[in-house]
């Protein structure tokens, strides 16, 4: 195929202002070139960070904005320099769609930490065109930021893995937490948290879910396979569990205290922040110093790690727990997600929806 230079239009669902209400929006896709894929979106997961963006919680939103960054689609056309993908392939793409390719992170296959990276929506591409996300009929994506979806993974199941799945897989790899026998904690049992339970269990870890109430206890223990369940307001239970965990994934996307969870960590334990929060968090330094503990963070994962994570999910038969909705339900889904009323990820059936 030659370079795809023609400009196309598509219809997505966009927010026009910080109310965050989404409605149909027709726009032109950026010009396509020899390294691009033109993709028909099949489905797209809904992440809590989509809410932050459409409501301008971080103070940097631009409208109209088509969100959605957990995308699975079908390749419709490929550029002349694309060799890894063919028409008809099922592929996934996430929140980053371009990097400089010259900096240290880019040269180390850690392109998600490139300071010049371009987000898949609420950003501007190199040609000056605004980027728009996966709640739309089609997308144009650079081949470097696309991965094949393995046979055996359903599209709707694979979509949340493009963010929620790799968000927990990447730090487990980076911080040397892949070996079996570790004791991990999952703080917050939402889209990221439930995948954290499944992936950590697949690596042979003892997993404790930590939540604000016991309403998810049965699901965590009987359906997701967690080994233990802690209610954060249970002082006795929290005290008994002190100094017991090698790491905790903190997936909570709102302001919360850190000290109760730092107390659960062993010597050299790690509290790994993965939730996007628009206000400072606080702790007293002895909580870290006296156990040589670490408070750190991790941002999604590289494309290489995304491929590894998808293969792990295929091999271990790991699936995300989802509720599939049509696009005309998306505003209700956003409201429910904000209230934590989903088990555990909404996925929009984009191809099966009437977009206009």
């Amino acid at each position: 195929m030659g370079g795809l230079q023609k400009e196309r239009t598509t219809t997505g669902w966009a927010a026009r202002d910080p109310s965050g209400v989404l409605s149909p929006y027709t726009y032109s896709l950026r010009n396509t070139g020899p390294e691009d894929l033109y993709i028909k979106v099949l489905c797209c997961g809904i992440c809590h960070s989509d809410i932050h963006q459409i409501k301008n919680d971080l103070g940097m939103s631009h409208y109209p904005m088509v969100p959605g960054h957990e995308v699975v689609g079908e390749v419709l056309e490929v550029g002349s320099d694309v060799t890894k993908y063919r028409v008809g392939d099922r592929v996934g793409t996430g929140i980053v769609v371009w990097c400089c390719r010259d900096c240290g992170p880019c040269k180390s296959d850690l392109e998600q930490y490139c300071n010049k990276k371009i987000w898949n929506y609420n950003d501007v591409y190199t040609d000056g065109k605004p980027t728009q996300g996966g709640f739309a009929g089609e997308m144009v994506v650079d081949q470097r930021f696309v991965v094949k979806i393995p046979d055996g993974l359903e599209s709707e199941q694979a979509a949340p893995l493009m963010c929620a799945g790799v968000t927990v897989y990447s730090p487990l790899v980076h911080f040397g937490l892949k070996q079996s026998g570790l004791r991990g904690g999952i703080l917050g049992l939402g889209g990221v948290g439930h995948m954290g339970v499944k992936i950590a269990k697949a690596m042979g870890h003892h997993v404790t879910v930590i939540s604000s109430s016991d309403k998810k206890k049965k699901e965590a223990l009987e359906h997701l396979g967690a080994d233990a369940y802690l209610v954060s307001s249970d002082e006795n239970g929290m005290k008994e569990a002190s100094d017991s965990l090698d790491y905790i994934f903190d997936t909570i996307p709102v302001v919360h205290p850190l000290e109760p969870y730092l107390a659960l960590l062993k010597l050299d334990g790690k509290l790994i922040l993965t939730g996007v929060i628009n206000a400072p968090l606080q702790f007293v330094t002895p909580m870290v110093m006296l156990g040589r503990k670490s408070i750190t963070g991790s941002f999604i994962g590289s494309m290489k790690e995304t491929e590894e994570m998808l293969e792990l999910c295929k091999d271990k038969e790991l699936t995300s727990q989802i509720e599939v909705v049509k696009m005309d339900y998306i505003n209700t889904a956003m409201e429910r997600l904000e209230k934590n009323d989903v088990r555990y990820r909404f996925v929009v059936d984009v191809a099966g929806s009437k977009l206009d």
Side-chain angles (χ1 to χ4, degrees):
M1 298 256 179
L4 312 177
Q5 296 301 322
K6 56 187 176 183
E7 188 176 87
R8 297 175 168 91
T9 61
T10 192
T11 298
W13 277 52
R16 266 71 169 195
D17 55 53
S19 70
V21 175
L22 302 176
S23 59
Y25 169 60
T26 298
Y27 57 98
S28 59
L29 296 166
R30 67 174 177 83
N31 288 333
T32 53
E35 292 196 49
D36 290 326
L37 306 179
Y38 176 52
I39 296 169
K40 174 185 178 182
V41 178
L42 299 177
C43 55
C44 185
I46 305 178
C47 177
H48 204 282
S49 60
D50 293 324
I51 295 175
H52 285 308
Q53 292 287 356
I54 62 177
K55 294 197 170 184
N56 198 28
D57 288 344
L58 305 179
M60 57 184 189
S61 296
H62 300 279
Y63 305 96
M65 180 200 302
V66 178
H69 59 265
E70 297 180 337
V71 183
V72 172
E74 177 186 345
V75 178
L76 298 179
E77 290 188 48
V78 300
S80 57
D81 292 346
V82 176
T83 57
K84 189 175 178 180
Y85 305 101
R86 297 182 178 182
V87 171
D89 282 348
R90 265 190 327 142
V91 297
T93 188
I95 199 168
V96 177
V97 293
W98 188 87
C99 64
C100 76
R101 308 192 184 199
D102 292 322
C103 67
C106 286
K107 291 180 179 180
S108 302
D109 288 326
L110 293 169
E111 63 283 340
Q112 75 271 31
Y113 297 112
C114 173
N115 288 331
K116 297 180 180 179
K117 63 181 170 288
I118 294 177
W119 309 99
N120 87 322
Y121 69 86
N122 195 34
D123 208 345
V124 179
Y125 206 72
T126 54
D127 62 359
K129 196 79 162 179
T131 60
Q132 302 289 6
F135 298 155
E138 291 84 25
M139 295 179 70
V140 176
V141 185
D142 186 298
Q143 63 175 337
R144 177 165 179 165
F145 295 93
V146 170
V147 293
K148 284 185 179 179
I149 303 299
D151 293 338
L153 276 180
E154 297 295 329
S155 297
E156 291 83 2
Q157 293 288 347
L161 302 180
M162 299 306 301
C163 176
V166 75
T167 290
V168 291
Y169 178 84
S170 177
L172 288 171
V173 173
H174 173 73
F175 293 115
L177 300 170
K178 288 181 67 176
Q179 68 269 30
S180 63
L182 295 179
R183 300 178 71 90
I186 306 296
L187 177 55
L189 195 59
V192 174
H194 92 288
M195 287 309 306
V197 174
K198 292 190 173 192
I199 290 175
K201 286 296 296 179
M203 292 181 176
H205 297 181
H206 180 284
V207 178
T208 298
V209 170
I210 311 160
S211 189
S212 60
S213 73
D214 61 3
K215 66 181 182 180
K216 297 180 181 178
K217 183 175 182 178
K218 182 176 181 180
E219 292 179 55
L221 299 176
E222 296 183 11
H223 300 296
L224 298 179
D227 300 286
Y229 191 95
L230 270 177
V231 177
S232 56
S233 60
D234 177 3
E235 294 183 10
N236 289 333
M238 292 288 283
K239 186 175 181 179
E240 290 175 4
S242 63
D243 298 313
S244 66
L245 301 178
D246 294 292
Y247 67 88
I248 296 173
F249 277 113
D250 185 344
T251 73
I252 299 176
V254 296
V255 174
H256 59 283
L258 297 183
E259 290 165 9
Y261 313 110
L262 289 168
L264 300 176
L265 293 171
K266 296 179 182 178
L267 174 67
D268 291 327
K270 293 177 174 58
L271 180 65
I272 304 168
L273 304 177
T274 63
V276 176
I277 301 173
N278 63 345
L281 300 179
Q282 294 182 327
F283 62 95
V284 294
T285 56
M287 294 296 299
V288 173
M289 295 164 56
L290 297 179
R292 203 166 60 189
K293 300 172 185 180
S294 301
I295 300 174
T296 187
S298 183
F299 174 60
I300 54 168
S302 67
M303 301 312 296
K304 180 180 178 182
E305 289 169 330
T306 303
E307 289 179 329
E308 294 173 1
M309 177 273 307
L310 288 172
E311 286 299 325
L312 173 71
C313 290
K314 175 189 175 183
D315 292 344
K316 299 290 186 178
E317 298 183 347
L318 305 182
T319 58
S320 47
Q321 192 164 326
I322 60 174
E323 181 177 336
V324 179
V325 299
K326 302 292 188 183
M327 192 69 80
D328 59 7
Y329 189 79
I330 196 166
N331 289 305
T332 302
M334 290 286 190
E335 292 173 2
R336 286 180 54 194
L337 175 58
E338 204 161 15
K339 298 174 183 175
N340 199 26
D341 178 24
V342 57
R343 300 294 185 272
Y344 286 95
R345 205 60 149 190
F346 283 115
V347 175
V348 181
D349 174 12
V350 179
S353 298
K354 181 175 172 56
L355 298 182
D356 56 0

